[in-house]
Amino acid sequence: MLTNMKNLKYIILLPAVVALASCSDFFDTSSVSTMDASEVFGSSIRTEQAIQGVYELFGENNSYRNRIACGFVGLNTDIERSTKSASSSAPDDELMTYALKTSHKSVSSTNGSDIWAYLNSAIERTNNIIEGLETYSCYNNPEADDYASMRYYLGEAYFLRSFAYLEMVKIWGDVPARFVSLGADPDGLKVKKTDRNVIYEQLRVDLKKAAEYMPWSTQIPVAAATNNVGRPSKAAALALLARADLMYAGKAVRPDELVVGGTSAYSVKYNIDDAAKRQEVYKEAMDACGQIISAGDKSLAEDFATPFKQICSDVKNYSDMEHIWVIPFLNGARGQVLNYNAPKLPSVSTTAGPNSVAGHLPGYANGGSSNGHITITPWLLYQFDKTDKRRDVTIVPFQWYYDNGSNAVKGDSARIVAFLGKDSTEYCLYQKANAIDALYCGKYRFEWMATGRELVGTDDGVDFPILRYADVIMMFAEASIGGISGDAPANETGLNPLEEYNRVRDRAGLTGIPALTMEEIQLERAKEFAGEYIRKWDLMRWGILKEQVVAATDYIRSIARP
């Protein structure tokens, strides 16, 4: 074990609310920031606080609160478009239009308030937690009172570190591999960027450990995490493992030669050159998904809209949800998921009255704002079958307005209908129809929020979904046919991938397909996961990002009016 950890001091930043169990050592007068590792990780209460210090980073400005969870690195694909525009003070369109500069304030800042800093901080904090628990906790002593909870915390730390690293690889590709804390290795700050395959291999090890240490959600021994979709479980670890494996076995824009501080030619190529190794990784992904499906830990919601209504209305109970893991935000404090992802809501005064929506939408009692940040492309609209139940949940052809009939615009049929029989000065809430280039994502809606939801400025506190059961089913199907390379593994799960896949289509009101193909899976994933920040990374790992964006653009031009 690490010999210098006894003297390592931990500075743990606590979020606004930390769930605390009724244990006597909570009233110890010692400050957490001055305790050494043995005191922190010998206590389940203080370990919980350390874990919460990782989640605190997700809620920071320019982190998941309003950047990573708001499309700044995952939009502008064949199915989703950002409405952000360029300006000299905030060139945020660079984050989405493949023109990102290293000097951009959301990527590199003097105060560390940027995506790179937060993800690296999450990795450092989880490094400390992992080393502390493996050195000082009773996670490997079944006779100890805190054995089960300490094992869960260790699994959670491995999961959170893996999540942070996978995000970094998605955004930057080759990044420094630093799986040891700076306290244990002060030279860690000097680590240079590493071939991403080294990181993928470590994630395969770590996520299997996480799945071993964490039980299914309802069996988690930590009160604050039991049956809580905002805390990871065995299913979350297995699902993230499958996601990482499919990326690893797929393609990426890679340097022809890894050059630190220099330049190299780049090309789209497989991460893994060897077909047998790709088959091994696909099998791991298939087995991980198969384990979740066979366990009966999750099920598809009967109605496609239900998972999103639950997210918007603060449902947290894992057993009732299709979602497997979400990044939790606090009501009235942090998180701008609806602000960025819901259909545009132009009147944002916090006082109810003329030209204000505040108090007129359920769950929108105190105002707030909506940028209408995500629009769905017309290309995707026309990919949906007319009977596909997902279309009208995913795509919203309107935005909310609240004004009176005296402002009626000639030819605006939606406004005319809204004010039929009403005095011209009477204010009404109505849905104003948009043009085809402003089809908003409908999976996150203010009208689905919990009644009386407290909003603070632009923060709505709605949780940010990361893993959903439908994705597990579709990853299972994709892995079963060996992905884009066709390196199909042996199926030892006892499950029929085609039958599982057709369950997703059946919920959408579609007939099943007779055979699985990559072309079918690629299109079906577009229709199932639009607006969920999955598509860009799918297209990248399939090696068709440019091809699909160009094709969708050409299609939209072909249907545009002259």
Side-chain angles (χ1 to χ4, degrees), residues 255-461:
D256 294 336
E257 180 183 359
L258 192 62
V259 178
V260 178
T263 60
S264 171
Y266 288 80
S267 58
V268 176
K269 61 187 75 174
Y270 282 106
N271 291 312
I272 302 172
D273 293 329
D274 181 61
K277 179 64 178 288
R278 288 197 298 266
Q279 186 179 67
E280 171 194 319
V281 174
Y282 278 126
K283 179 170 175 52
E284 183 173 79
M286 183 175 64
D287 290 346
C289 293
Q291 191 174 343
I292 299 171
I293 297 168
S294 297
D297 176 66
K298 294 263 75 171
S299 61
L300 287 175
E302 290 186 12
D303 179 47
F304 180 71
T306 297
F308 309 104
K309 289 180 178 180
Q310 290 177 326
I311 288 293
C312 293
S313 60
D314 302 331
V315 175
K316 310 287 186 182
N317 191 338
Y318 180 95
S319 296
D320 297 333
M321 303 180 72
E322 183 176 316
H323 282 99
I324 292 174
W325 184 62
V326 303
I327 291 180
F329 290 121
L330 182 64
N331 182 12
R334 287 289 191 180
Q336 299 180 8
V337 172
L338 288 189
N339 174 34
Y340 279 89
N341 297 294
K344 190 171 181 62
L345 208 161
S347 300
V348 295
S349 170
T350 56
T351 303
N355 300 318
S356 170
V357 180
H360 297 276
L361 277 178
Y364 199 71
N366 300 318
S369 70
S370 165
N371 285 313
H373 184 31
I374 303 181
T375 58
I376 303 298
T377 68
W379 179 84
L380 181 63
L381 173 65
Y382 291 110
Q383 300 307 308
F384 279 106
D385 190 277
K386 291 181 180 180
T387 62
D388 196 323
K389 298 176 183 178
R390 296 171 296 192
R391 184 192 64 183
D392 294 343
V393 175
T394 302
I395 301 175
V396 171
F398 65 81
Q399 56 185 299
W400 285 107
Y401 262 71
Y402 179 69
D403 58 17
N404 62 49
S406 64
N407 295 323
V409 177
K410 184 177 180 180
D412 188 340
S413 58
R415 185 190 299 272
I416 292 171
V417 170
F419 291 98
L420 278 178
K422 295 185 180 296
D423 186 89
S424 64
T425 61
E426 183 177 351
Y427 278 82
C428 293
L429 176 70
Y430 71 101
Q431 297 171 349
K432 177 180 171 61
N434 286 341
I436 198 170
D437 64 345
L439 302 172
Y440 289 109
C441 176
K443 290 183 174 179
Y444 310 100
R445 307 190 191 188
F446 289 102
E447 58 267 38
W448 290 345
M449 294 174 73
T451 302
R453 190 74 156 85
E454 182 181 356
L455 295 162
V456 177
T458 56
D459 287 280
D460 47 68

Side-chain angles (χ1 to χ4, degrees), residues 56-79:
E56 178 262 346
L57 292 168
F58 297 151
E60 291 286 357
N61 190 48
N62 290 338
S63 182
Y64 286 87
R65 174 199 176 212
N66 55 3
R67 289 296 182 270
I68 308 180
C70 301
F72 278 57
V73 294
L75 282 186
N76 283 5
T77 67
D78 55 344
I79 66 174

Side-chain angles (χ1 to χ4, degrees), residues 519-530:
E519 291 77 10
E520 164 67 31
I521 291 172
Q522 288 168 347
L523 181 58
E524 196 70 25
R525 286 184 67 84
K527 293 183 283 187
E528 180 71 23
F529 302 115

